[in-house]
Amino acid sequence: MSGIDYLAAYYGEINERLRRILKTQRTNLEKSAELLADAISEDRLIYLFGVGGHSHVGSEEFFYRAGGLANVSPMYDLSLTLAGGGQKSTLLERVEGYGDKVVKAHHLQAGDLLIITSVYGMNACTLDAALEAKRRGCTVVAITSVEAAEATPRDFVARHSSGHSLHEVADVVIDTQVPYGDVTVSVDGVAEKVGGSCNVLQCFCINALVVETVRRCTERGIKPPLWASANVEGGDDRNRALLESYTPRVKYL
């Protein structure tokens, strides 16, 4: 036995990156929260797109969860998710001319807000969606890793043909601090690193954004539309009015 405490090492890596988020991303979280509070005050939907693989987890974390905003509308494409097949998800997120069709299918318009969760922020599907949203006059908030995008070669097979990354085209960027390769811990005798980080870090950013949005709503005297857990007493009753309001407007409710 090596005597190394790998659990503590993993905790330390995640904790350090969470600390970096709080230290470096506060301004971007605040800017993004202002945009979300604007959408709530104007009774507008907030659109979400999580591209293939674990990037999709971000859009699920935003949607229909206890303490989450009820006016969010995910643009799910099940073929891009891991539930639709792991290899297929990877293949499709690399196809150009796909992500823009998702945006078109949801009829985004000028003034709409789109949040894109993309771990690496450089594949074809991500860029096509972001660029189409921008063409339509939408505001794009990216939840992505600048470090991972910058470390990926510009001619990498999964990249959009423009060579650009999401953080270069989005209006506001929340940097998740996910390392290139995602994993964080080296175990003696094992070639591959372990200890994935992307879901922990992007979900922290998402919930931090919601917390800051709710704070700003209260400062404006606005009651934010928040889900209660359906698994606590009274939760269904508290959610009933939100379901009546948003079910006709949000496709996946």
Side-chain angles (χ1 to χ4, degrees), residues 11 28 66 71 75-76 117 125 178 189 194 196 198 217 222 232:
Y11 171 81
N28 292 333
N71 67 320
M75 305 193 308
Y76 290 149
T117 59
C125 192
V178 172
V194 292
C198 68
C217 285
I222 301 168
V232 299

Side-chain angles (χ1 to χ4, degrees), residues 76-90:
Y76 290 149
D77 186 304
L78 297 183
S79 292
L80 287 168
T81 70
L82 295 174
Q87 294 180 73
K88 183 170 70 171
S89 175
T90 296

